[in-house]
């Protein structure tokens, strides 16, 4: 019996596999496709996902393949200058195609010992008190203690579990593609300023030299959006909206997406969990989809590893649904709002003008940026210090950086006093005595995902909090 089966080898599944292997959890990834996909549905990482990569020592790999773009206020295409003092050391968007993100996360998971089985389609599952049995299309059966469905919006795992997926079907559809153009850059720049509408957006591709990326709305929703558009269909839609196709040539990465919005009613049933698009789908406005899935995996991985190791406190696995379902629900709401705000209806245009004025207020602009980038997330850990439940940004310490101390995926007590102890939990929590001018509290206890679980300076209070997230003393 293996420890965990991960169904789906996309960014969510591979992020989860890497997190599990950090804790020596025996992990098998089942991917139905025989080869990695070339479809690009995401083109960048937001600040919180960049922080996640930094927390695990992966950021340099991503920076080498991506391009940094200054983070600014943007909501439903309304652009504003970035407010001062955003709560992150990574105030930029990292332009990087999903294919590169997939490859880097896969390499990381394999380096840590993940077994990946391609061409393996799940067709059935059964669970009992001891584990989960997965049935594959070739008749093979695999047994594991837990199983996680990271298999996309048409999740087989979710369907086999019988978990509801309420929401709205797609009412609009866009084509996404990259291609070279036959006109000079200055012509494209002028055209982008004049022709950019809710039906068409385009600009230089952030990850492919010489190509432009286009997003163009279709006239109707395709019956099967898994079938990519033809290049002729793509050019025809650009011509219909812009009046020209700019001499499009040498196409690459053509795909389609809609504005369907749905969320799983439950993220876990017994020993089976859902993450990424298997748990939620929404329009791509704001570019939050892949980021949301990566952060699901970051939340679930250490909790599942704790359950496998036997020290997970009661309710720890349940907290995955409690924390991440609420986050995704908020993302669904903001993407719904952005879709409506990009309508040409008079009412939508009026609300858009009002929102543009409101975004001139720094607090409004900051709130929307924090929502989109994920740095404003605060889990409900109860009453207490304002830091409680929030992730802690990377801090400059006297002996380095905070995130350099989090690569192993363990808990961390950052102690300015030198008087505290994690005796009894030292196998799960690192104790670092250091200080930062950017932190004005005596000590903070961080979960493995970097969220603040305790703030204070009293040993008794700390001992009262450690079991909540790290189980009983002594394991």
């Amino acid at each position: 019996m293996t420890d965990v089966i991960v169904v789906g080898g996309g960014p969510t599944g591979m992020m989860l596999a890497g997190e599990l292997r950090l804790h020596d959890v025996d992990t098998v990834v089942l991917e139905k496709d025989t080869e990695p996909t070339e479809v690009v549905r995401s083109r960048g990482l937001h600040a919180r996902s960049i922080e996640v990569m930094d927390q695990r020592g992966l950021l340099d790999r991503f920076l080498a393949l991506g391009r940094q773009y200054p983070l600014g206020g943007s909501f439903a295409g309304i652009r504003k200058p970035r407010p001062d003092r955003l709560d992150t050391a990574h105030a930029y968007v990292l332009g990087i195609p999903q294919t590169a993100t997939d490859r880097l996360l896969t390499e990381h998971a394999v380096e840590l010992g993940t077994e990946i089985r391609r061409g393996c389609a799940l067709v059935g599952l059964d669970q009992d008190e001891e584990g989960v049995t997965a049935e594959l299309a070739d008749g093979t059966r695999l047994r594991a203690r837990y199983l996680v469905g990271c298999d996309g919006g048409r999740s087989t795992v979710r369907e086999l579990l019988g978990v509801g997926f309420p929401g709205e079907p797609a009412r609009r559809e866009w084509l996404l593609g990259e291609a070279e153009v036959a006109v000079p850059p200055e012509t494209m720049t002028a055209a982008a300023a004049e022709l950019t509408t809710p039906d068409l957006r385009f600009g230089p591709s952030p990850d492919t030299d010489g190509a432009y990326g286009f997003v163009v709305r279709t006239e109707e929703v395709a019956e099967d959006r898994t079938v990519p558009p033809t290049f002729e269909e793509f050019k025809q839609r650009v011509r219909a909206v812009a009046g020209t196709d700019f001499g499009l040539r040498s196409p690459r990465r053509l795909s389609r997406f809609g504005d369907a919005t749905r969320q799983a009613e439950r993220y876990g049933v017994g020993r089976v969990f859902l993450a990424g698009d298997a748990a939620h789908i929404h329009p791509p406005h704001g570019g939050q989809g892949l980021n949301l899935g990566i952060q699901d995996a970051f939340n679930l991985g250490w909790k599942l590893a704790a359950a496998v190791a036997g020290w997970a406190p009661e309710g720890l696995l349940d907290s995955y649904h409690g924390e991440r379902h609420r986050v995704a629900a908020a993302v669904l709401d903001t993407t719904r709002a952005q879709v409506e705000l990009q309508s040409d209806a008079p009412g939508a245009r009026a609300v858009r003008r009002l929102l543009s004025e409101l975004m001139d207020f720094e607090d409004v602009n900051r709130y929307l940026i924090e929502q989109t980038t994920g740095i404003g997330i605060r889990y409900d850990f109860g009453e207490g210090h304002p830091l409680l439940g929030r992730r802690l940004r990377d801090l400059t310490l006297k002996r380095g950086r905070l995130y350099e101390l989090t690569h192993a995926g363990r808990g961390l007590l950052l102690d300015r006093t030198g008087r505290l102890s994690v005796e009894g939990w030292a196998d799960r929590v690192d104790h670092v005595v250091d200080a930062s001018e950017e932190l004005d509290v005596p000590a903070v206890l961080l979960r493995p995902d970097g969220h603040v679980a305790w703030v204070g300076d009293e040993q008794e209070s700390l001992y009262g909090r450690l079991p909540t997230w790290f189980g009983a003393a002594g394991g």
Side-chain angles (χ1 to χ4, degrees):
M1 177 187 290
T2 193
D3 290 328
V4 179
I5 293 172
V6 176
V7 181
T12 301
M14 290 307 181
M15 185 73 208
L16 178 60
E19 288 296 286
L20 293 170
R21 286 302 303 151
L22 277 179
H23 301 280
D24 296 323
V25 174
D26 189 17
T27 306
V28 176
V29 175
L30 303 178
E31 170 53 54
K32 65 180 180 180
D33 293 336
T34 56
E35 298 293 336
T37 181
E38 291 300 318
V39 175
V40 176
R41 296 189 180 277
S42 170
R43 298 171 58 145
L45 297 181
H46 281 308
R48 180 54 189 149
S49 295
I50 295 169
E51 290 181 343
V52 165
M53 301 311 166
D54 198 6
Q55 285 180 253
R56 293 301 180 260
L58 300 174
L59 184 55
D60 285 347
R61 305 186 190 191
F62 283 81
L63 293 178
L65 298 181
R67 296 184 181 181
Q68 297 181 40
Y69 297 89
L71 180 60
S74 178
F75 192 84
I78 304 171
R79 300 188 181 278
K80 300 290 182 178
R82 185 182 78 202
D84 293 333
R85 298 180 304 279
L86 283 176
D87 184 34
T88 180
H90 300 284
Y92 56 89
V93 176
L94 184 65
I96 185 170
Q98 182 175 333
T99 48
T101 297
D102 287 349
R103 184 173 75 253
L104 292 174
L105 291 177
T106 299
E107 290 173 355
H108 174 62
V110 170
E111 288 169 5
L112 293 174
T114 301
E115 179 184 355
I116 301 174
R117 302 186 187 183
R118 289 196 167 273
C120 293
L122 181 78
V123 296
L125 64 82
D126 183 51
Q127 63 174 313
D128 53 41
E129 293 183 357
E130 302 298 325
V132 185
T133 300
E135 180 182 352
L136 307 185
D138 64 1
T140 302
R141 290 177 177 268
L142 298 177
R143 183 77 169 160
R145 299 174 67 179
Y146 296 93
L147 182 145
V148 185
C150 303
D151 50 341
R154 295 175 172 81
S155 171
T156 299
V157 174
R158 189 186 63 241
E159 292 180 1
L160 292 172
L161 279 179
V163 171
F165 203 42
E168 306 89 49
R171 297 176 298 158
R172 306 173 182 89
E173 181 177 286
W174 293 263
L175 304 183
L176 173 66
E178 294 178 351
E180 295 178 5
V181 297
V183 297
E186 54 269 22
T187 300
M188 294 299 294
T189 299
E194 178 181 353
L195 298 173
T196 296
T197 71
D199 291 340
L200 176 67
R201 302 191 305 277
F202 59 92
S205 173
D207 48 79
T208 306
D209 290 338
Y212 280 75
F214 290 81
V215 180
V216 59
R217 185 172 171 180
T218 64
E219 291 185 295
E220 57 186 19
V221 177
E223 292 185 7
D224 185 358
R225 291 194 307 280
T226 63
V227 178
T230 65
F231 187 43
E232 186 57 36
E233 178 185 359
F234 181 71
K235 289 196 297 182
Q236 286 178 355
R237 284 307 302 157
V238 173
R239 281 198 300 269
V241 176
T244 175
D245 65 10
F246 305 103
L248 287 169
R249 62 194 182 195
S250 303
R252 58 202 79 171
R253 300 171 180 167
L254 300 177
S255 61
R256 63 178 83 235
F257 62 84
D259 63 347
T261 305
R262 299 183 181 276
Q263 185 174 24
E265 293 177 331
R266 291 177 290 170
Y267 281 15
V269 178
R271 291 176 171 268
V272 182
F273 298 87
L274 301 170
D277 287 354
H280 41 71
I281 59 171
H282 56 85
H285 298 68
Q288 298 172 82
L290 178 145
N291 292 271
L292 193 59
I294 285 174
Q295 293 161 38
D296 284 346
F298 203 55
N299 183 286
L300 177 60
W302 70 276
K303 297 174 181 178
L304 207 52
V308 170
W311 59 259
E314 183 178 357
L316 184 64
L317 285 179
D318 292 337
S319 73
Y320 167 63
H321 171 91
E323 293 172 0
R324 297 305 299 173
H325 192 277
R326 182 180 300 178
V327 169
V331 170
L332 265 59
D333 279 348
T334 58
T335 53
R336 284 186 180 106
Q338 291 184 72
V339 169
E340 296 304 321
L341 284 169
Q342 294 190 30
S343 166
D344 286 330
R349 292 202 303 268
V351 175
R352 184 181 177 86
R353 288 192 296 270
L354 175 60
L355 180 61
S356 179
E357 294 176 3
L358 291 174
M359 288 175 65
D360 288 331
F361 290 95
E362 185 170 298
D363 286 348
V364 175
N365 193 11
R366 183 188 305 278
Y367 175 81
L368 292 174
I369 290 176
E370 290 182 348
Q371 287 286 102
T372 301
T373 61
I375 63 175
I377 293 170
R378 184 183 185 187
Y379 298 140
D380 185 6
F381 292 173
E383 297 295 326
H385 193 277
L387 283 176
L388 194 63
R390 293 181 63 95
R391 99 283 177 261
L392 194 60
R393 60 172 289 165
D394 192 21
L395 304 174
T396 300
L397 307 175
K398 290 184 177 180
R399 292 175 291 179
R401 295 189 301 117
L402 174 64
Y403 283 4
E404 292 173 339
L405 306 175
T406 65
H407 293 179
R410 292 160 51 88
L412 174 68
L413 175 65
L414 179 59
D415 177 13
R416 294 177 60 189
T417 72
R419 300 191 306 269
L420 300 174
S421 169
V422 293
E423 183 179 357
W425 289 271
D427 58 327
R428 287 151 276 169
V429 181
D430 294 325
H431 181 198
V432 176
V433 178
D434 205 334
S436 171
E437 295 180 357
E438 304 168 53
L439 187 66
D440 60 356
V441 295
V444 291
L445 175 67
L446 303 182
R447 304 192 316 183
D449 59 1
H451 282 259
V452 178
W454 173 86
V455 180
D457 61 359
E458 297 180 0
Q459 186 66 57
E460 183 177 355
S461 173
L462 174 61
Y463 277 166
R465 196 65 173 176
L466 281 163
T468 302
W469 299 110
F470 299 102

